[in-house]
């Protein structure tokens, strides 16, 4: 069931005249399904939409991916977030539309999030490294700190 729903969601995101409420409701349905088998497709589509500079699709798919994958989604979400699409990004990285999804995903498993974020501090893309540093600020201190 989720595969056809993903197909429909992508079609809606590709259609500039699509009903926003229908699109959001379908994204919420997919996120609530818990079907992680659709993650590779969603991640590929997220990458495509970022390449097309579609900030709306980036935010919507980022939320679905974060809901399905939790902390494991952080590398994908940070890389998508690091791309300046000319939408709502200002001088600070925390103005990005994916900020809430990134923080929510990190909070699903703070230890796993930290393990994924620390290597990203050394990412060759300074925007990815900056977002990793920003995200770490929202995590509780590690138990051995």
């Amino acid at each position: 069931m989720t595969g056809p729903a993903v197909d429909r969601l992508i079609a809606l995101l590709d259609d500039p005249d699509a009903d926003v409420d229908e699109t959001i409701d379908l994204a919420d349905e997919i996120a609530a399904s818990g079907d992680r088998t659709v993650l590779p497709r969603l991640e590929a589509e997220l990458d495509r939409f970022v390449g097309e500079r579609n900030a709306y699709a980036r935010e919507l798919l980022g939320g679905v991916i974060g809901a399905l994958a939790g902390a494991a989604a952080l590398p994908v979400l940070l890389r998508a977030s690091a791309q300046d699409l000319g939408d709502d990004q200002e001088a600070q990285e925390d103005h990005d539309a994916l900020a809430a999804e990134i923080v929510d995903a990190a909070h699903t498993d703070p230890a796993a999030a930290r393990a994924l974020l620390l290597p990203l501090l050394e990412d060759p893309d300074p925007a990815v490294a900056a977002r990793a540093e920003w995200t770490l600020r929202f995590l509780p201190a590690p138990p051995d700190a």
Side-chain angles (χ1 to χ4, degrees), residues 71-100:
L74 288 171
V76 169
L77 297 181
L78 290 178
R79 291 190 193 295
S81 173
Q83 302 302 308
D84 182 359
L85 304 185
D87 54 343
D88 65 345
Q89 292 182 339
E90 296 175 15
Q92 297 293 321
E93 58 270 14
D94 58 347
H95 293 287
D96 178 75
L98 284 181

mmCIF file of all heavy atoms in Angstrom, residues 71-100:
data_model
loop_
_atom_site.group_PDB
_atom_site.id
_atom_site.type_symbol
_atom_site.label_atom_id
_atom_site.label_comp_id
_atom_site.label_asym_id
_atom_site.label_seq_id
_atom_site.Cartn_x
_atom_site.Cartn_y
_atom_site.Cartn_z
ATOM 1 N N ALA A 71 16.832 8.969 13.911
ATOM 2 C CA ALA A 71 18.195 9.493 13.906
ATOM 3 C C ALA A 71 19.000 9.013 12.703
ATOM 4 O O ALA A 71 19.883 9.727 12.225
ATOM 5 C CB ALA A 71 18.907 9.110 15.201
ATOM 6 N N ALA A 72 18.698 7.833 12.190
ATOM 7 C CA ALA A 72 19.430 7.310 11.031
ATOM 8 C C ALA A 72 19.293 8.208 9.813
ATOM 9 O O ALA A 72 20.117 8.149 8.894
ATOM 10 C CB ALA A 72 18.952 5.894 10.708
ATOM 11 N N ALA A 73 18.275 9.048 9.792
ATOM 12 C CA ALA A 73 18.055 9.951 8.656
ATOM 13 C C ALA A 73 18.944 11.184 8.693
ATOM 14 O O ALA A 73 18.998 11.932 7.710
ATOM 15 C CB ALA A 73 16.593 10.395 8.623
ATOM 16 N N LEU A 74 19.640 11.413 9.784
ATOM 17 C CA LEU A 74 20.377 12.672 9.927
ATOM 18 C C LEU A 74 21.364 12.975 8.798
ATOM 19 O O LEU A 74 21.357 14.103 8.291
ATOM 20 C CB LEU A 74 21.067 12.734 11.292
ATOM 21 C CG LEU A 74 20.096 12.945 12.452
ATOM 22 C CD1 LEU A 74 20.814 12.779 13.782
ATOM 23 C CD2 LEU A 74 19.437 14.312 12.353
ATOM 24 N N PRO A 75 22.200 12.047 8.361
ATOM 25 C CA PRO A 75 23.106 12.408 7.263
ATOM 26 C C PRO A 75 22.358 12.866 6.012
ATOM 27 O O PRO A 75 22.742 13.857 5.373
ATOM 28 C CB PRO A 75 23.892 11.117 7.006
ATOM 29 C CG PRO A 75 23.870 10.414 8.328
ATOM 30 C CD PRO A 75 22.503 10.713 8.898
ATOM 31 N N VAL A 76 21.276 12.191 5.668
ATOM 32 C CA VAL A 76 20.489 12.568 4.489
ATOM 33 C C VAL A 76 19.859 13.944 4.688
ATOM 34 O O VAL A 76 19.904 14.808 3.802
ATOM 35 C CB VAL A 76 19.405 11.502 4.211
ATOM 36 C CG1 VAL A 76 18.401 11.984 3.173
ATOM 37 C CG2 VAL A 76 20.039 10.203 3.777
ATOM 38 N N LEU A 77 19.278 14.152 5.859
ATOM 39 C CA LEU A 77 18.598 15.420 6.121
ATOM 40 C C LEU A 77 19.586 16.584 6.173
ATOM 41 O O LEU A 77 19.299 17.673 5.655
ATOM 42 C CB LEU A 77 17.796 15.340 7.412
ATOM 43 C CG LEU A 77 16.661 14.323 7.441
ATOM 44 C CD1 LEU A 77 15.944 14.364 8.783
ATOM 45 C CD2 LEU A 77 15.689 14.538 6.298
ATOM 46 N N LEU A 78 20.741 16.365 6.790
ATOM 47 C CA LEU A 78 21.726 17.449 6.863
ATOM 48 C C LEU A 78 22.254 17.812 5.487
ATOM 49 O O LEU A 78 22.436 18.996 5.180
ATOM 50 C CB LEU A 78 22.882 17.062 7.783
ATOM 51 C CG LEU A 78 22.544 16.993 9.265
ATOM 52 C CD1 LEU A 78 23.751 16.543 10.062
ATOM 53 C CD2 LEU A 78 22.028 18.313 9.784
ATOM 54 N N ARG A 79 22.496 16.811 4.656
ATOM 55 C CA ARG A 79 22.982 17.108 3.300
ATOM 56 C C ARG A 79 21.929 17.854 2.482
ATOM 57 O O ARG A 79 22.249 18.785 1.756
ATOM 58 C CB ARG A 79 23.424 15.836 2.600
ATOM 59 C CG ARG A 79 24.683 15.275 3.218
ATOM 60 C CD ARG A 79 25.310 14.147 2.441
ATOM 61 N NE ARG A 79 26.328 13.477 3.236
ATOM 62 C CZ ARG A 79 27.467 14.020 3.653
ATOM 63 N NH1 ARG A 79 27.746 15.262 3.336
ATOM 64 N NH2 ARG A 79 28.339 13.337 4.360
ATOM 65 N N ALA A 80 20.670 17.466 2.632
ATOM 66 C CA ALA A 80 19.596 18.181 1.926
ATOM 67 C C ALA A 80 19.464 19.599 2.455
ATOM 68 O O ALA A 80 19.298 20.554 1.694
ATOM 69 C CB ALA A 80 18.277 17.421 2.074
ATOM 70 N N SER A 81 19.553 19.743 3.760
ATOM 71 C CA SER A 81 19.422 21.048 4.397
ATOM 72 C C SER A 81 20.567 21.987 4.030
ATOM 73 O O SER A 81 20.381 23.205 3.963
ATOM 74 C CB SER A 81 19.376 20.851 5.914
ATOM 75 O OG SER A 81 19.409 22.064 6.592
ATOM 76 N N ALA A 82 21.742 21.414 3.795
ATOM 77 C CA ALA A 82 22.922 22.230 3.515
ATOM 78 C C ALA A 82 22.854 22.927 2.157
ATOM 79 O O ALA A 82 23.611 23.857 1.902
ATOM 80 C CB ALA A 82 24.174 21.362 3.589
ATOM 81 N N GLN A 83 21.961 22.480 1.305
ATOM 82 C CA GLN A 83 21.838 23.074 -0.028
ATOM 83 C C GLN A 83 21.007 24.351 0.047
ATOM 84 O O GLN A 83 19.864 24.328 0.486
ATOM 85 C CB GLN A 83 21.188 22.086 -0.995
ATOM 86 C CG GLN A 83 21.939 20.790 -1.130
ATOM 87 C CD GLN A 83 23.365 21.011 -1.582
ATOM 88 O OE1 GLN A 83 23.611 21.684 -2.571
ATOM 89 N NE2 GLN A 83 24.312 20.446 -0.855
ATOM 90 N N ASP A 84 21.589 25.443 -0.370
ATOM 91 C CA ASP A 84 20.876 26.723 -0.366
ATOM 92 C C ASP A 84 19.948 26.763 -1.573
ATOM 93 O O ASP A 84 20.392 26.842 -2.710
ATOM 94 C CB ASP A 84 21.864 27.879 -0.415
ATOM 95 C CG ASP A 84 21.175 29.230 -0.366
ATOM 96 O OD1 ASP A 84 19.929 29.288 -0.303
ATOM 97 O OD2 ASP A 84 21.893 30.245 -0.389
ATOM 98 N N LEU A 85 18.654 26.677 -1.289
ATOM 99 C CA LEU A 85 17.663 26.704 -2.362
ATOM 100 C C LEU A 85 17.046 28.079 -2.525
ATOM 101 O O LEU A 85 16.125 28.262 -3.307
ATOM 102 C CB LEU A 85 16.566 25.658 -2.094
ATOM 103 C CG LEU A 85 17.037 24.227 -1.914
ATOM 104 C CD1 LEU A 85 15.848 23.285 -1.770
ATOM 105 C CD2 LEU A 85 17.935 23.781 -3.053
ATOM 106 N N GLY A 86 17.555 29.034 -1.758
ATOM 107 C CA GLY A 86 17.024 30.380 -1.863
ATOM 108 C C GLY A 86 15.640 30.509 -1.266
ATOM 109 O O GLY A 86 14.912 31.430 -1.582
ATOM 110 N N ASP A 87 15.275 29.577 -0.377
ATOM 111 C CA ASP A 87 13.940 29.632 0.223
ATOM 112 C C ASP A 87 13.982 30.456 1.493
ATOM 113 O O ASP A 87 14.025 31.667 1.432
ATOM 114 C CB ASP A 87 13.377 28.220 0.453
ATOM 115 C CG ASP A 87 14.290 27.313 1.265
ATOM 116 O OD1 ASP A 87 15.494 27.617 1.402
ATOM 117 O OD2 ASP A 87 13.805 26.290 1.759
ATOM 118 N N ASP A 88 13.999 29.824 2.622
ATOM 119 C CA ASP A 88 13.952 30.570 3.862
ATOM 120 C C ASP A 88 15.290 30.585 4.578
ATOM 121 O O ASP A 88 15.359 30.945 5.739
ATOM 122 C CB ASP A 88 12.873 30.001 4.780
ATOM 123 C CG ASP A 88 13.188 28.588 5.233
ATOM 124 O OD1 ASP A 88 14.074 27.960 4.627
ATOM 125 O OD2 ASP A 88 12.553 28.128 6.181
ATOM 126 N N GLN A 89 16.352 30.228 3.906
ATOM 127 C CA GLN A 89 17.650 30.224 4.561
ATOM 128 C C GLN A 89 18.168 31.645 4.679
ATOM 129 O O GLN A 89 18.182 32.400 3.728
ATOM 130 C CB GLN A 89 18.644 29.372 3.786
ATOM 131 C CG GLN A 89 18.285 27.907 3.839
ATOM 132 C CD GLN A 89 19.295 27.062 3.101
ATOM 133 O OE1 GLN A 89 20.019 27.565 2.262
ATOM 134 N NE2 GLN A 89 19.323 25.793 3.402
ATOM 135 N N GLU A 90 18.580 31.946 5.890
ATOM 136 C CA GLU A 90 19.176 33.253 6.145
ATOM 137 C C GLU A 90 20.617 33.015 6.554
ATOM 138 O O GLU A 90 21.191 31.983 6.256
ATOM 139 C CB GLU A 90 18.368 33.964 7.230
ATOM 140 C CG GLU A 90 16.935 34.239 6.769
ATOM 141 C CD GLU A 90 16.064 34.826 7.858
ATOM 142 O OE1 GLU A 90 16.616 35.290 8.868
ATOM 143 O OE2 GLU A 90 14.855 34.811 7.694
ATOM 144 N N ALA A 91 21.211 33.967 7.241
ATOM 145 C CA ALA A 91 22.614 33.834 7.618
ATOM 146 C C ALA A 91 22.846 32.673 8.576
ATOM 147 O O ALA A 91 23.905 32.071 8.575
ATOM 148 C CB ALA A 91 23.101 35.134 8.247
ATOM 149 N N GLN A 92 21.880 32.333 9.385
ATOM 150 C CA GLN A 92 22.037 31.254 10.353
ATOM 151 C C GLN A 92 21.419 29.977 9.818
ATOM 152 O O GLN A 92 20.326 29.994 9.271
ATOM 153 C CB GLN A 92 21.364 31.626 11.682
ATOM 154 C CG GLN A 92 21.970 32.831 12.346
ATOM 155 C CD GLN A 92 23.389 32.564 12.806
ATOM 156 O OE1 GLN A 92 23.690 31.489 13.286
ATOM 157 N NE2 GLN A 92 24.256 33.534 12.625
ATOM 158 N N GLU A 93 22.101 28.860 10.037
ATOM 159 C CA GLU A 93 21.614 27.588 9.537
ATOM 160 C C GLU A 93 20.308 27.162 10.186
ATOM 161 O O GLU A 93 19.566 26.379 9.636
ATOM 162 C CB GLU A 93 22.660 26.483 9.685
ATOM 163 C CG GLU A 93 23.127 26.243 11.098
ATOM 164 C CD GLU A 93 24.319 27.087 11.489
ATOM 165 O OE1 GLU A 93 24.641 28.062 10.774
ATOM 166 O OE2 GLU A 93 24.919 26.784 12.512
ATOM 167 N N ASP A 94 19.981 27.686 11.364
ATOM 168 C CA ASP A 94 18.769 27.252 12.035
ATOM 169 C C ASP A 94 17.512 27.865 11.441
ATOM 170 O O ASP A 94 16.420 27.619 11.938
ATOM 171 C CB ASP A 94 18.851 27.497 13.542
ATOM 172 C CG ASP A 94 19.100 28.938 13.913
ATOM 173 O OD1 ASP A 94 19.451 29.740 13.033
ATOM 174 O OD2 ASP A 94 18.950 29.252 15.090
ATOM 175 N N HIS A 95 17.630 28.626 10.385
ATOM 176 C CA HIS A 95 16.448 29.163 9.703
ATOM 177 C C HIS A 95 15.993 28.266 8.568
ATOM 178 O O HIS A 95 15.027 28.562 7.894
ATOM 179 C CB HIS A 95 16.736 30.575 9.172
ATOM 180 C CG HIS A 95 16.936 31.575 10.256
ATOM 181 N ND1 HIS A 95 15.908 32.060 11.021
ATOM 182 C CD2 HIS A 95 18.048 32.159 10.723
ATOM 183 C CE1 HIS A 95 16.377 32.917 11.896
ATOM 184 N NE2 HIS A 95 17.673 32.987 11.741
ATOM 185 N N ASP A 96 16.691 27.200 8.339
ATOM 186 C CA ASP A 96 16.347 26.279 7.270
ATOM 187 C C ASP A 96 15.020 25.593 7.567
ATOM 188 O O ASP A 96 14.694 25.298 8.712
ATOM 189 C CB ASP A 96 17.466 25.244 7.143
ATOM 190 C CG ASP A 96 17.154 24.219 6.094
ATOM 191 O OD1 ASP A 96 17.256 24.543 4.903
ATOM 192 O OD2 ASP A 96 16.790 23.114 6.479
ATOM 193 N N ALA A 97 14.268 25.298 6.546
ATOM 194 C CA ALA A 97 12.942 24.698 6.708
ATOM 195 C C ALA A 97 12.999 23.298 7.309
ATOM 196 O O ALA A 97 12.022 22.837 7.890
ATOM 197 C CB ALA A 97 12.229 24.659 5.359
ATOM 198 N N LEU A 98 14.110 22.606 7.194
ATOM 199 C CA LEU A 98 14.221 21.256 7.742
ATOM 200 C C LEU A 98 14.667 21.240 9.198
ATOM 201 O O LEU A 98 14.801 20.170 9.788
ATOM 202 C CB LEU A 98 15.223 20.431 6.936
ATOM 203 C CG LEU A 98 14.782 19.918 5.590
ATOM 204 C CD1 LEU A 98 15.891 19.098 4.949
ATOM 205 C CD2 LEU A 98 13.530 19.096 5.701
ATOM 206 N N ALA A 99 14.875 22.385 9.796
ATOM 207 C CA ALA A 99 15.431 22.437 11.147
ATOM 208 C C ALA A 99 14.623 21.620 12.144
ATOM 209 O O ALA A 99 15.190 20.832 12.912
ATOM 210 C CB ALA A 99 15.553 23.881 11.614
ATOM 211 N N ALA A 100 13.330 21.774 12.163
ATOM 212 C CA ALA A 100 12.503 21.043 13.127
ATOM 213 C C ALA A 100 12.578 19.542 12.892
ATOM 214 O O ALA A 100 12.666 18.761 13.855
ATOM 215 C CB ALA A 100 11.054 21.522 13.058
#
